[in-house]
Amino acid sequence: MENFNYVRPAKVADAVKAMKKAKDGKFMAGGHTLIPTLKQGLASPTDIIDLGGLKNTGIKIGAKSVVIQAGTTHAEVAASKELKKAIPGLAALAGGIGDPHVRHKGTIGGSVSNNDPAADYPSACLALGATIHTTDRKLAADKFFTGMFSTALKDTEIVTAVEFPLVKKSGYAKFPNPASLYAMVGVFVAQGADGSARVAVTGAGPGVFRVADMEAALSRKFAGSSLDGIAVKSKGLNSDMHASAEYRAHLITVMAKRAVEAAK
Amino acid sequence: MDNSTGTGIGARVRRKEDHRFITGKGNYTDDINLPKQTYAYFVRSPHAHATIKSINTAKAKKMPGVVGIFTGDDIANDKLGGLICGWMIHSKDGSPMKAGPHPVLAQGKVRYVGDHVALVVAETREQAKAAAAAVSVGYVALPHVVDVADAMGAKAAIHDVAPDNRVFNWSIGDEGATDAAFRNAAHVTKIDLVNNRLIPNAMEPRAAIGSYDTGSESYTLYTTSQNPHVARLVISAFHGLAPEHKLRVIAPDVGGGFGSKIFIYAEEVACVWASKHIGGRPIKWTAERSESFLADAHGRDHVTHAELATDSNGRITGLKVHTKAAMGAYLSTFASCVPTYLYATLLSGQYNIPNIYAEVDAIYTNTAPVDAYRGAGRPEATYVVERIVETAARELKMDPAEFRRMNFVTQFPHQTPVIMCYDAGDYAAALDKALEIADVKGFADRKSAAARSGKLRGLGYSAYIEACGIAPSAAIGSLGAGVGLWESAEVRVNPVGTVEVLTGSHSHGQGHETTFAQLVSDRLGIDINNVAIVHGDTDKVQFGMGTYGSRSGAVGMTAISKALDKIEAKAKRVAAAVMEASADDVEFKNGTFTVKGTDKKMAFGEVALSAYVAHKFNSAEIEPGLKEAAFHDPSNFVFPAGVHICEVEIDTDTGVTDVVNYTAVDDFGNIINPMIVEGQVHGGIVQGIGQALAEGCVYDKQSGQLLTGSYMDYQMPRAANVPNFNLAFTCTPCPSNPLGMKGCGEAGAIASPAAVMNAVTDALDVRDVPMPATPHVVWKMLQPMKKAAE
């Protein structure tokens, strides 16, 4: 690990200022991706701007949406009684991220900003049609996630909150990588207030993506059996020693069904 | 032997050492810091096979904090000997095994990714690591080969002494007689098996602190070793670092070994050697987890073809086995005996097989060395025997349990065609008990119930036998062992009657501080808290062979027992003198000496004090003090055996295999502490389930890189992957040691892979599924079946 400057500002504006001043700065939320990366020498930023000092945590349930502050940990999201009622699939997803250490340090803002192709949250954002609030603007999830570890965020832009519209039903099913327990295939399904369904897949491809055929079928009828015979093409999906693209494609349908069946 | 309330033999005593371990008060090598200590980091090869053209350390030497940088040239200039393999194996044609040089730091060539090239010593670990990154090594890549199946005769010649990469071609058994048995067979079952390569993953990574005292001109090495005396012997006699009285090796608390800490590795030797070259400052090295993956000796990695001959009644008449065993890039300390004498000698299993012939090719590959790993050869043997026996039963349409039963050895002693002479056992008793506990009768109903919810349920057996306490020394010496495998013990009774036991065994998780104290408590009638077990320091314990192969009970405790016999005899003489009686009339029971026919008595503590005060006996006849030593060389191996039954359910949608039921009935002879034994069985089964369903070391064929180099890609079994285990014991006391003990440390890991895979193949109704049967592997197996069904 190389030496770096460390700051922990209390205000968002100061965090942005610190980033502007830094030669090669990195924002740090829970740090559970960044710190291992530093330890392995895979990243050596000049400055680390720890967003923990912002203390922007909390979950607010509104009439049409839920707003989760960026600094809210996965454990807090998982434990929220209000959220379990409002968007049960989202609370369940948070309760299955990583392990207890990760859940008590990792934050929703950090997760969506990092956009790890095997992270859980991006699938919920995309399937629920979330809006990502940043220091500069509000962005639809469909525009926010742009590929493997990449987002529409500018270098000095910080996610401040994620807003999820209330839906009729939501569910998440994950097939974990047997070794790392990251999502090898994770599928989030949501039935919107208007009855239309959205399906988003994480872990299987280079980035989170939606499955139009499944959405159409589930919009007609939100039931597991609606997905019978709907196969996702394996082309373009990840293939590694843990799972071939074909296996991942197969698991998408299996997990989508299970997510629908688990949806509340 | 029910002693559930006491602290003697048979009692479920809680482990004395655990409070220290679970409250963070253990004393591991990395917890120790010496004055003026420096830190080591190793430059390792990024290539699977390459010539070293140049090593430039100029830039690195100028880096902050650097104290010294050492390469293979320094090792050569100092004439520090290379690493050795301590068991000579001769090929079928009589030629000795082809051991290539294994220098402490690479000389001219690297042979696997992670091979040790240079040692960087600095004031801090970070400085050493940064400077290591600045060492520039010029490599010219050579062709490499990582798979044992392809390595013999490959383009990559890893050592000059073995141009075809074959270390030896060894055989055991009577080939002609076995061929004849096959010619007369009514049925022949054939199977091809791969025993997957495993990475040990002890909780504590390897670590060392080497230091040199310029005043006494002596070395001290703190190290994570299962056998510190053997380490001292090898570093002294073969590396030639210093004579034994000038080298102290200390293995303090050690957090797990599973075999991987038996061996003498380059890193530890380099640290203790280099200390002298930096003015005696201590050098500490603690492996990072990624170094453990790369450079700890791995386990297993066999490719086997086996054939089993049966007659028209279903009796086994012959077994033929050919195995290719990976050795990795160098022969590790005991690598050569693992796929030979620890493997093929167990190929008779629990069965009466009149003819066995096995041939083993040991083969170099451009990978980390392969050596003993929990079970060492015996899991591999059990896997071959129990998979082929199960397959034969299925082919013959016989019940697998009954097929086993009709072929069991029932008369003891039983001489197998492959050296071993089984001394005692009752295999049918274990089978009966296992069938009952596992409710095999109810399996068909459970299978149908599973099918209704879309799951495939399977049941698999493993009737294993293993051999522990490798012995006697003269016999293994004749087979090529470089050492004798006896054990030593010294019992020191203090004047107040407390006891210190110095043992050559080493505990790295086994609980010796408790079980050894239970033996003393039982024999001397004193509280276990008045017994201290001293081990792991060559300056304290005179000599010992360490702990592996489940030998510490059968061999180590027998040595203690013999020393206790001498203590009792001496104490009786002291007591007799004090009580003015004849020694023949003194009896010792429950910690009290009495004189037959009188009411005279003395407590053990009083006798101890009398022995040291020495007022009341003639010192010309009885020497003062109470301290005795013993060496024990066993007359035979011990043979734990048992029957394990595994039930799995497979989710056909995902390929996930769940172990839903696991029964283990083991015969370990007499048991000192059932709770600790159960813990050993649990751990072993979990490791075996890990091998069967999760763990698999993968090197990339193209690049030679280790693909499973971290927990992101190497799947260890987790608590959630295993069910509650149903354990039970049967007991045929071992006749070759006075305690009647066998060994329990490896049984779980030996039995379980075959039990699990027999269950998986039963569920899928296929002949073989490769290990590890991950969800992906099982799903792939399911695809043609689904197609066929459609």
Side-chain angles (χ1 to χ4, degrees), chain B residues 172-254:
Chain B
I172 190 169
D174 186 335
E175 186 174 16
T178 307
D179 282 342
F182 275 81
R183 279 196 297 276
N184 297 324
H187 183 81
V188 174
T189 299
K190 298 180 183 182
I191 195 162
D192 288 287
L193 298 168
V194 174
N195 206 290
N196 44 326
R197 177 184 277 246
L198 303 176
I199 300 175
N201 282 301
M203 202 181 285
E204 180 203 21
R206 282 195 290 130
I209 309 172
S211 69
Y212 178 73
D213 186 299
T214 52
S216 64
E217 297 179 327
S218 63
Y219 294 87
T220 301
L221 173 63
Y222 290 86
T223 181
T224 48
S225 174
Q226 298 179 216
N227 45 344
H229 288 88
V230 176
R232 184 182 67 165
L233 173 66
V234 170
I235 295 170
S236 179
F238 294 93
H239 295 283
L241 182 73
E244 281 169 290
H245 69 292
K246 294 283 188 187
L247 172 61
R248 179 182 185 185
V249 178
I250 302 168
D253 285 335
V254 174

Side-chain angles (χ1 to χ4, degrees), chain A residues 178-179 241-242 244 247 250 258, chain B residues 651 653-654 713 715 718 779:
Chain A
M241 67 176 143
H242 301 292
S244 63
Y247 182 44
H250 166 81
R258 289 184 184 181
Chain B
D651 177 349
D653 284 338
T654 59
D713 293 306
Q715 185 198 352
R718 295 177 169 88
W779 179 79

Side-chain angles (χ1 to χ4, degrees), chain B residues 18-38:
Chain B
D18 281 354
H19 190 265
R20 150 169 126 248
F21 293 149
I22 63 176
T23 55
K25 289 171 188 157
N27 185 39
Y28 297 90
T29 298
D30 193 55
D31 293 326
I32 296 164
N33 291 296
L34 302 178
K36 296 184 181 176
Q37 179 175 288
T38 62

Side-chain angles (χ1 to χ4, degrees), chain B residues 6 29 43 60 66 82 115 190 192 259 270 282 330 343 369 380 398 546 605 625 702 717 780 786:
Chain B
T29 298
V43 176
V66 171
D115 204 350
K190 298 180 183 182
D192 288 287
Y330 301 96
Y343 165 69
E380 295 92 318
M398 290 178 69
Q702 297 306 315
K780 279 191 285 187
K786 280 194 173 163

Side-chain angles (χ1 to χ4, degrees), chain B residues 1 9 423-424 519 553-555 557-558 561 632 638-640 667-672 730-743:
Chain B
M1 280 254 194
I9 291 172
D423 52 7
L519 170 61
V555 191
M557 288 181 85
T558 302
S561 176
H632 173 64
V638 298
F639 297 98
D667 178 356
F668 298 137
N670 293 332
I671 288 173
I672 303 293
T730 58
C731 180
T732 55
C734 173
S736 71
N737 67 66
L739 298 167
M741 294 176 69
K742 298 182 182 176

Side-chain angles (χ1 to χ4, degrees), chain A residues 1-2 39-40 175 177-182 184 240-244 246-247 250-251 254-255 258, chain B residues 126 129 651-656 698 707-708 711-716 718 774-776 779 783 786:
Chain A
M1 197 190 307
E2 301 289 324
K39 283 167 75 176
Q40 289 170 329
F175 192 91
N177 174 310
S180 69
L181 299 187
Y182 271 90
M184 202 155 82
D240 52 38
M241 67 176 143
H242 301 292
S244 63
E246 291 73 24
Y247 182 44
H250 166 81
L251 286 175
V254 176
M255 291 298 121
R258 289 184 184 181
Chain B
E126 290 70 26
K129 194 171 177 179
D651 177 349
T652 53
D653 284 338
T654 59
V656 169
V698 182
L707 294 183
T708 50
Y711 295 127
M712 290 295 283
D713 293 306
Y714 188 87
Q715 185 198 352
M716 296 295 286
R718 295 177 169 88
T774 62
H776 188 203
W779 179 79
Q783 295 321 296
K786 280 194 173 163

